[in-house]
Structures are given as structure tokens and as C-alpha cells.
Amino acid sequence: MDPFSKFYEKTYEERIKLLKDYAKLSDDEIALLAKETNLSIKTAECLSENIIGTFSMPLGIATHFVINGKNYILPMVIEEPSVVAAASNAAKLSEGFLASADDSIMFGQIQIVGVKDIKKTISEIKKNQKNLINKANSKDSVLVSLGGGVKDVKIRKISTDRGEHIIVNLIVDVKDAMGANAVNSFCESLKEDLEKISGGKVRARIISNLCVARLAKAKAVWLKEKIGEETIEAILDAYHFAKKDQFRCTTHNKGIMNGIDALAIATGQDFRAIEASAHSYAAFKRKYSPLTKYYKDNAGNLIGEIEIPLAVGVVGGAVRTNPLAKLCLKIANISSAKELAMSMACVGLANNFAALKALSTEGIQKGHMRLHAKNIAITAGASEDLVDKVAEIMVKENNICVARAKEIISELK
Ligand code: MEV
């Protein structure tokens, strides 16, 4: 019998016992799994299934951000060296950020198949539009009372390899939420009505993560007196490389997402949705392109801009369940979804600026080295009290590798 059958029905203690036998875990390993951090097992069980522990990541703050005249410190959860330092440094070098964010408009999609008369059905759905909107909105009186809810319905036909389908798009204002729960509930609530009107079958009913009506934009200036004309030329060259070459552009956008994901995780956001949306938008009605752009102003200063769809929320979901996410929002002093989206756009731009600057001038490895060396020291088995010393010696020798770390550890012992 599969020992993991009905694993979800077991208590935490039963799960751990089973796992201990199955994976032959030592008492120390079990203690490590069971160690509660700032997320208790109980809370974790409210967020996901089959819980065996919680997983910690480094949490830092990016400093020096001035966005629309307000000072911010931005919490970032990331395991990669240099990202937090790079964002802070880029913000410090800038003259501050100007940012804006659209209203929180998300799209829900309802797929209808097997419709005999597509044209007639589309016109019938249009005729019933008001009723459909009211029916959906009755599912979330709280959101509606805040001015949100389904605002409009758009209908189109698509031709697929399995025939013609009707796609009903719900246009929803989700206000301060990320919106997936509300939008999915709205979509699901219309199944019976749409089947009755169309005579077809309603299949998929789900949010679209490509939220092109929920863009955040940010802009920053880096003065030539501060960063130097040669650096500006180098950054522009790197940007134009990304514009022309998809292999480079993917990495360019990855660097933007370093900062955005880190702030997203710290504040309890669905970072997979943010990732999906960002990369899809990078290729929306154009070839895959950078999410940022750079140019010089008349005085020769560098202007950087970012435009990115960001479905983020400050209510609902993990934002409120995970106490640390709540705390991070408090530390950032962010109180609305729009403000969070604007901050994320700024961090993305800052990380991208820092990456382009580093990789096209001194190279990115230099900045990475100190932390990278610590990682290598840990990998080589250095105890906590030796990590710094081992790393320091390797950096000095310019020889950062596990073999050398092992030698140093035994020399120091
Ligand atoms: C590394 O995580 C991110 C960079 O590769 C981004 C870039 O190349 O633009 C440095």
C-alpha cells in the first residue's frame, strides 16, 4: 500500500512519524523540520496541504527608495546575493522615482463550447449582460460595497482545433485584493445561466493572469555627474542588446523580477502570477521585449522607465494569513494595492539598472563574491564560527571553490 495514501488526513505528528521512517530521518533532522519559525505549523496548515514544516528564506530591506516624494524601506525575501544591495544602491544613485498604477482591473474568462448558433448566442449573452453582472456581483457584496465587482462583459469567438468557442470575459475591479478568488468565484457563478442562454457547455472559468489593464509604471533619472557618461553609454548598450536579442532579453527581464519577486514574497503575494503576467506582457502584441527602457535626456542624464502588469493585493490570501507578510507591509508602510504595485515597479527598475550597470562595467561577479564565498564555505562544511574567516581567505586569494574551502577549514581547525 502507498504509505502516503490519505497523507492529508493525518495529523502533523502522524505525518512526521511516517516521513521519519520513510526517508530515514535522524532525530536532529526531524527537529529541524519541526522547528517553528515566524510561521507556525498551524498557520501553514491554513495556507497549504500535507504540511511537514515551514521553510525560511533571508529577509532583508532595500533602502534609499524615494517614490513620489515618500521615503520607503522595502522588505525583500531572496536567497541570491547582491540583489538587495543592488536595489538599494540603484535607489541611492537615483534622484528618486515617479510612479503610477492603474485601477485594479482583472479579467475573468468563461469558455463555452458546443454552441450551435454562435452569432445568435453572442447577441443573447449581450442582451442578458446586466442580469449576468448582477448575478455575479451578488456573490461578493463586500467587494461591491467597496466600489469593486464585475464592471463589464466582453464576448468574443475563437476558432480552435476543437471547433468554435465563445469566450465571455468579465472585467472586474478587485480593488485592494490580488483578485483571483473574487474573479474565479464570479466566473463560476455564471455557469448555469450561460449554459441556459447558449445551449452549449461551460468549460474553463478562471482569471487571466495577463492583467494588461493593471499596469504599474515607474521612471527614474540617474544624473551623468553621479554615475559618469561612460556608465550611461554602457547601460544604453546593454539595454539595446536586450532589445534585439531574446536570449539576452530573458535575462534582462529576470533581473527585473529579482527585485519584484523578492518584494512579492515578503508581502505574501502570488509571485507565480506576477511572473507569468510579466513575461507574457513582455511579448504582448510585440516580440518578446524588455520590460524597461533607457534613454538620455537633453542634458545627457540617463532616464530609466518600467511598465509592468502587477496583480498584487494588501487584503485576502496569504497577505493576511502569514503574519510576516502583514509585518512586511507595515515595515514598508504600504496600505493599498496600488502603492504596493508602484513600489514593486520601482524595485524592478532599480534592480535592472543595477544589473545593467554592473554587467556592462565591472562585471557582476565582483559584488557577488563575498556572499558567494560564504555560501561556498558553508557548502564545504564550515561551522558558523568559521564561515566568515574561510570566506575572507578565499576572497583574498581570489580562489573561491569548495576544495580550497575544505583545505582552509582543516588548516583553521
Ligand atoms: C542575476 O540574477 C540577474 C542578472 O543576470 C540580470 C541581468 O543580466 O540583467 C544580473
Side-chain angles (χ1 to χ4, degrees):
M1 197 180 109
D2 175 7
F4 290 93
S5 137
K6 304 243 166 102
F7 192 65
Y8 58 93
E9 281 183 359
K10 297 195 189 304
T11 63
Y12 178 71
E13 289 71 27
E14 288 167 342
R15 271 182 236 146
I16 291 299
K17 189 177 169 335
L18 199 160
L19 196 69
K20 185 172 195 266
D21 297 340
Y22 179 85
K24 302 187 179 33
L25 303 183
S26 67
D27 287 344
D28 282 351
E29 285 163 337
I30 287 295
L32 181 62
L33 257 188
K35 195 169 172 181
E36 287 196 312
T37 55
N38 18 52
L39 184 65
S40 69
I41 298 291
K42 268 234 146 357
T43 310
E45 283 180 329
C46 298
L47 287 165
S48 183
E49 308 80 31
N50 289 358
I51 298 300
I52 58 163
T54 57
F55 191 101
S56 298
M57 298 254 286
L59 165 62
I61 47 166
T63 52
H64 307 302
F65 275 82
V66 182
I67 304 170
N68 297 337
K70 176 176 164 184
N71 289 304
Y72 288 86
I73 48 172
L74 298 172
M76 295 173 85
V77 170
I78 188 155
E79 84 298 347
E80 185 177 329
S82 304
V83 173
V84 176
S88 306
N89 193 244
K92 190 173 173 188
L93 287 173
S94 79
E95 300 305 298
F97 297 81
L98 282 179
S100 63
D102 293 339
D103 284 341
S104 306
I105 301 296
M106 299 298 292
F107 307 132
Q109 299 186 297
I110 307 169
Q111 175 195 30
I112 314 175
V113 304
V115 175
K116 291 218 170 64
D117 189 337
I118 298 262
K119 225 171 138 190
K120 190 164 154 244
T121 302
I122 289 181
S123 102
E124 279 301 306
I125 298 174
K126 277 188 182 153
K127 259 194 237 154
N128 281 280
Q129 188 160 319
K130 257 212 158 77
N131 291 339
L132 292 168
I133 292 177
N134 288 340
K135 167 98 185 262
N137 280 339
S138 70
K139 299 283 162 205
D140 196 335
S141 53
V142 176
L143 182 60
V144 172
S145 74
L146 294 169
V150 181
K151 298 292 170 189
D152 202 359
V153 176
K154 295 255 183 290
I155 309 147
R156 68 200 162 91
K157 173 190 87 174
I158 57 169
S159 297
T160 78
D161 291 345
R162 290 176 59 83
E164 293 192 321
H165 301 170
I166 292 176
I167 307 299
V168 178
N169 281 286
L170 302 186
I171 321 294
V172 186
D173 187 343
V174 298
K175 294 288 172 189
D176 274 324
M178 180 271 179
N181 276 334
V183 173
N184 293 340
S185 302
F186 289 145
C187 290
E188 290 190 0
S189 73
L190 299 182
K191 180 177 189 289
E192 282 77 26
D193 296 66
L194 287 171
E195 285 186 342
K196 211 157 142 199
I197 297 169
S198 66
K201 262 204 167 318
V202 166
R203 299 280 198 212
R205 34 209 196 281
I206 190 79
I207 193 168
S208 168
N209 288 121
L210 178 55
C211 48
V212 294
R214 199 177 184 179
L215 300 179
K217 296 175 189 160
K219 182 175 178 174
V221 183
W222 284 274
L223 296 179
K224 70 169 190 253
E225 291 76 20
K226 263 196 203 166
I227 63 169
E229 288 181 40
E230 190 49 33
T231 300
I232 292 180
E233 297 307 320
I235 290 173
L236 288 171
D237 285 339
Y239 162 61
H240 282 273
F241 178 12
K243 244 179 112 173
K244 273 282 170 244
D245 180 274
Q246 186 164 356
F247 287 91
R248 172 57 209 146
C249 191
T250 304
T251 321
H252 177 105
N253 286 340
K254 188 272 183 184
I256 294 171
M257 301 315 289
N258 272 346
I260 291 181
D261 284 344
L263 178 52
I265 297 171
T267 56
Q269 308 300 315
D270 180 346
F271 57 93
R272 287 85 54 212
I274 294 172
E275 278 282 341
S277 185
H279 290 287
S280 180
Y281 187 66
F284 184 59
K285 296 189 177 170
R286 56 181 166 162
K287 75 175 181 70
Y288 185 81
S289 302
L291 292 161
T292 51
K293 67 175 176 197
Y294 292 89
Y295 55 93
K296 280 191 284 191
D297 67 9
N298 291 337
N301 302 310
L302 183 72
I303 313 288
E305 290 182 15
I306 185 168
E307 180 179 294
I308 183 167
L310 282 168
V312 294
V314 294
V315 295
V319 185
R320 289 290 151 200
T321 316
N322 187 331
L324 211 53
K326 216 158 116 182
L327 183 58
C328 283
L329 277 173
K330 184 172 178 184
I331 290 169
N333 193 12
I334 285 174
S335 56
S336 72
K338 279 191 188 184
E339 195 180 5
L340 180 55
M342 289 191 283
S343 308
M344 273 184 192
C346 294
V347 175
L349 178 58
N351 272 115
N352 182 233
F353 165 87
L356 298 191
K357 178 170 172 292
L359 64 89
S360 62
T361 58
E362 83 268 15
I364 67 152
Q365 287 306 86
K366 198 175 152 206
H368 271 320
M369 278 313 154
R370 192 152 286 279
L371 282 175
H372 176 62
K374 286 190 189 188
N375 266 325
I376 295 290
I378 293 169
T379 309
S383 52
E384 257 178 42
D385 55 318
L386 285 186
V387 170
D388 284 345
K389 189 84 202 141
V390 176
E392 195 188 307
I393 295 173
M394 287 193 296
V395 170
K396 218 178 252 161
E397 293 176 353
N398 200 12
N399 181 13
I400 301 166
C401 66
V402 175
R404 180 62 190 133
K406 281 189 172 155
E407 283 170 15
I408 300 170
I409 293 167
S410 58
E411 281 161 24
L412 289 176
K413 275 181 181 164

